[in-house]
Amino acid sequence: MPFHFEFDKKNKILLIVVEGDYGDDEQVIINGRIREKCKELGAVAGIGDMSGVTAFNVSLGVLQNAAKAPAPYDVGVPRYLVAPADHTFGMSRMYQLAADKTRAGLKVVRSREEALADLGVRNASFERVSELAEAL
């Protein structure tokens, strides 16, 4: 599952674009990578866009463990999961509910535009940043 990071310098929004198959290994790896990029870039908001996910195969146990682990963002940082497909949306909502104590304020939305509108951002300009993810 390849993923990459993009950043809107003006609004300091970190965007994680996820594509392909998303499974247990990817769930474990991605939070650490997000944490690294947040600190490096000084992100004040985050969007995880799963529009390009073709298969979502994260086990319930891994999903619950990830939800209970420390959040990759600082407390108070608004963050969004973009999940347009019904199955991905449902799994993202389960993650959101399980993560309520560690990720208060996490929102699951159907589009990147919905997340940006909620942030009050009209003209985001994302630029790709260096790859942290190798082909898994």
Side-chain angles (χ1 to χ4, degrees), residues 96-113:
Q96 178 188 29
L97 293 171
D100 188 48
K101 292 181 182 170
T102 59
R103 290 163 178 78
L106 173 66
K107 296 181 181 180
V108 180
V109 297
R110 292 285 187 168
S111 71
R112 191 182 301 180
E113 292 76 17

Side-chain angles (χ1 to χ4, degrees), residues 69-130:
Y73 295 97
D74 289 338
V75 174
V77 172
R79 53 222 178 270
Y80 301 83
L81 291 176
V82 176
D86 289 341
H87 181 260
T88 307
F89 187 87
M91 294 299 285
S92 296
R93 285 283 294 132
M94 286 192 335
Y95 175 80
Q96 178 188 29
L97 293 171
D100 188 48
K101 292 181 182 170
T102 59
R103 290 163 178 78
L106 173 66
K107 296 181 181 180
V108 180
V109 297
R110 292 285 187 168
S111 71
R112 191 182 301 180
E113 292 76 17
E114 186 179 348
L116 292 170
D118 194 65
L119 287 168
V121 174
R122 292 179 188 229
N123 295 314
S125 179
F126 290 101
E127 294 180 23
R128 194 166 179 153
V129 296
S130 64

Side-chain angles (χ1 to χ4, degrees), residues 4 17 38 95 111:
H4 69 270
V17 179
C38 276
Y95 175 80
S111 71

Side-chain angles (χ1 to χ4, degrees), residues 51-65:
S51 299
V53 170
T54 55
F56 191 90
N57 298 307
V58 179
S59 66
L60 185 57
V62 168
L63 192 70
Q64 289 174 333
N65 286 340

